[in-house]
Amino acid sequence: MLAVRPAAPQDIPAILTIQERVFGEIPWQEDDFRRILGAPGQMVLVAESSEILGFVALRVIADEAEILNLAVKPNSQRRGVGRAMIRDACHRLERAGVREIFLEVRPSNEPALGLYYSHGFTLRSVRKDYYSKPREDAYVLSRVLVHPQHPSKP
């Protein structure tokens, strides 16, 4: 059974491995994840079954949030792992009083675009030459969340 939970320091090696397999490099280092795990207004969630299958890193500022990084192990992609993480993250953010979530994604990343669009994200703007290796624009997507009656912290 797939479960989504807050990441712990012992999850960082698995997160780094997933990141390298998905992106072909390690854009975020171990220290980057350690800082996020201990920082107010930031969180990393992991999806696991018998092992960690994916992660999503988020930052909350006031009533807005940003998905900073999301990756799913290649052999677990298109099996509901990304959907489960997005759904769980949105639920946690709604409870925290977040009004809107933003993210950047490569226009060429059609699977990610499909995932985000299926969860109600819409195209907000384009950032020219945002990515390098290879150089590419970024789509800025956003989703407005529905507020619960009594917000709490994520």
Side-chain angles (χ1 to χ4, degrees):
M1 184 169 146
L2 184 66
V4 178
R5 63 167 174 80
Q10 62 267 27
D11 299 325
I12 293 174
I15 290 169
L16 293 173
T17 299
I18 292 168
Q19 181 181 231
E20 185 173 22
R21 285 186 188 164
V22 170
F23 301 121
E25 59 180 314
I26 302 180
W28 288 20
Q29 303 299 314
E30 181 174 346
D31 288 344
D32 298 322
F33 284 102
R34 288 196 185 283
R35 272 193 297 280
I36 288 175
L37 291 179
Q42 298 188 50
M43 69 175 135
V44 178
L45 303 174
V46 293
E48 66 181 350
S49 184
S50 58
E51 63 181 343
I52 293 175
L53 303 175
F55 72 92
V56 58
L58 306 123
R59 171 177 48 206
V60 177
I61 300 173
D63 65 348
E64 295 181 348
E66 181 180 8
I67 295 177
L68 303 170
N69 199 343
L70 184 147
V72 175
K73 286 177 73 169
N75 63 351
S76 297
Q77 292 175 358
R78 298 184 186 263
R79 295 187 176 167
V81 177
R83 288 186 189 287
M85 290 190 300
I86 295 287
R87 188 172 34 250
D88 188 274
C90 287
H91 180 70
R92 289 172 189 268
L93 293 169
E94 285 174 342
R95 286 193 336 231
V98 168
R99 181 182 55 80
E100 193 166 10
I101 306 173
F102 295 87
L103 62 91
E104 291 93 8
V105 62
R106 288 179 182 269
S108 63
N109 191 344
E110 292 179 12
L113 286 169
L115 172 67
Y116 296 129
Y117 289 148
S118 74
H119 278 275
F121 285 84
T122 58
L123 180 62
R124 183 79 174 249
S125 64
V126 177
R127 291 195 175 136
K128 288 291 193 191
D129 296 327
Y130 181 81
Y131 292 106
S132 60
K133 298 180 185 178
R135 182 160 298 288
E136 189 172 358
D137 296 344
Y139 283 172
V140 178
L141 305 182
S142 68
R143 175 183 166 187
V144 174
L145 298 176
V146 177
H147 287 301
Q149 292 286 353
H150 303 287
S152 63
K153 297 291 179 193

